[in-house]
Amino acid sequence: MKTITRKEFSLSIVVEELMDGAGAIMLKDVFSPERIERIAQTLEAETDEAIDTGSHFNQNDQDPLLQRRVWFTRLVELDPDIASLVEEPMIFQSMQAFLGKEFVMGSMCASRIMPGYGGQEPHIDYPYWDFYRNETFPTRTNSSFPLNAQAIILIDEFTEENGATALAPGSQKDLRYPNKNDDFFGKCIRLTGKPGDVVLFFGAAWHCAMPNQSEAGRIGILVEFLPKFVTPIEDLMKDLDANYLKGTTPEMQQLLGMKYPWPSTPPHPPLQ
């Protein structure tokens, strides 16, 4: 997986790596230590209690209590600055280049993986997440153009010991759901990094959270991005405070789909 700094940042590099490279790229030191530490304290307090918060792709019945999630509406309630992380230009501009200038956000949550968590099954992400039923998708559906991108904003350090995400490099190039014969765990790399780093990856790449064998929890903020025409999996507008919506930036309005209403009438093309 290629790693680049803010100084080295290039949209062409990001798109090339996600489409034709490993399927993932690491952006180093995107957020300041002070900002990340403040957010970490907020999320640690919020996830102290062991309750089922909507975990998925787990390998046993206990793991939903060990993968503690805080969804978008609650993140806004806790601290709007957490939600605004996705407006960072390196992330936002990368998604415009990858998914189209009017891309939207499909989901956002903080995920705290607790000690003893057993890890996920290898999978691909929405809208491909049930591609094992490929007969339900249009004929010749493939990954030559992307319908998804993911971001992991590292709040804690991601290490192999604490279950850093595993990803099979290059697996996004041939769109299909991974199976037991693919030797995923023999091929995968680990998306390790420091607090404040960001991993961008194409959700068609096989990946999964790994077991946390450390003695501490690990927090990452997981974000799904979609082209403007794909229905988000999370109702991001549900229960959002009206005052928050009034004060959102143009970037957040786009992410929430406020600039691409549905149902709607076709836009008028420019006169030639």
Side-chain angles (χ1 to χ4, degrees):
M1 177 178 64
K2 185 182 289 291
T3 297
I4 58 174
T5 64
R6 187 176 293 274
K7 185 177 180 179
E8 298 165 330
F9 177 71
S10 161
L11 295 177
S12 61
I13 291 175
V14 172
V15 171
E16 181 178 355
E17 285 302 306
L18 268 55
M19 289 297 295
D20 303 317
I25 190 167
M26 171 74 75
L27 310 179
K28 293 296 293 181
D29 302 320
V30 177
F31 299 106
S32 70
E34 295 78 16
R35 188 179 185 187
I36 292 297
E37 176 58 29
R38 178 174 51 78
I39 290 172
Q41 292 176 4
T42 299
L43 295 176
E44 286 171 3
E46 179 69 11
T47 54
D48 272 346
E49 188 176 355
I51 57 175
D52 190 335
T53 53
S55 178
H56 55 266
F57 295 116
N58 295 306
Q59 301 196 57
N60 64 60
D61 294 337
Q62 294 302 310
D63 280 350
L65 299 179
L66 298 176
Q67 187 183 40
R68 302 175 187 174
R69 295 194 163 182
V70 185
W71 297 92
F72 179 74
T73 301
R74 181 58 179 159
L75 292 176
V76 172
E77 292 174 348
L78 289 171
D79 182 357
D81 184 53
I82 302 176
S84 72
L85 292 172
V86 293
E87 299 177 51
E88 154 61 40
M90 291 176 72
I91 300 175
F92 198 90
Q93 293 171 15
S94 293
M95 293 302 100
Q96 286 184 312
F98 191 63
L99 295 173
K101 288 191 173 182
E102 294 183 344
F103 78 97
V104 298
M105 185 164 63
S107 178
M108 181 180 187
C109 73
S111 178
R112 187 181 186 188
I113 302 298
M114 302 303 291
Y117 176 71
Q120 293 177 317
E121 298 175 349
H123 61 275
I124 52 182
D125 285 337
Y126 177 85
Y128 311 115
W129 62 358
D130 62 340
F131 204 69
Y132 50 84
R133 303 187 303 141
N134 60 6
E135 73 279 1
T136 68
F137 286 75
T139 187
R140 300 187 184 181
T141 298
N142 62 75
S143 57
S144 62
F145 64 96
L147 295 177
N148 162 290
Q150 304 289 133
I152 305 175
I153 301 171
L154 280 60
I155 303 301
D156 290 318
E157 183 176 8
F158 275 40
T159 68
E160 293 195 14
E161 184 183 21
N162 69 17
T165 305
L167 180 142
S171 55
Q172 81 284 2
K173 300 175 187 178
D174 179 19
L175 180 61
R176 61 182 180 84
Y177 205 89
N179 61 56
K180 293 181 179 180
N181 298 321
D182 284 317
D183 189 27
F184 172 84
F185 296 105
K187 299 175 180 176
C188 69
I189 60 173
R190 304 294 292 277
L191 308 184
T192 58
K194 301 291 186 181
D197 293 344
V198 175
V199 177
L200 303 178
F201 68 94
F202 186 178
W206 308 340
H207 64 280
C208 66
M210 295 290 276
N212 185 351
Q213 300 172 331
S214 74
E215 297 181 356
R218 169 181 61 76
I219 298 175
I221 294 179
L222 314 179
V223 191
E224 177 187 74
F225 300 107
L226 303 166
K228 63 183 181 181
F229 52 82
V230 176
T231 304
I233 57 172
E234 186 180 350
D235 187 356
L236 297 171
M237 299 283 284
K238 183 180 180 181
D239 299 327
L240 282 179
D241 182 79
N243 289 327
Y244 169 76
L245 288 174
K246 289 179 182 178
T248 51
T249 64
E251 290 79 9
M252 183 56 70
Q253 291 169 18
Q254 175 180 319
L255 289 164
L256 295 176
M258 297 168 66
K259 294 187 175 184
Y260 195 69
W262 185 94
S264 183
T265 56
H268 292 289
L271 295 177
Q272 299 297 322

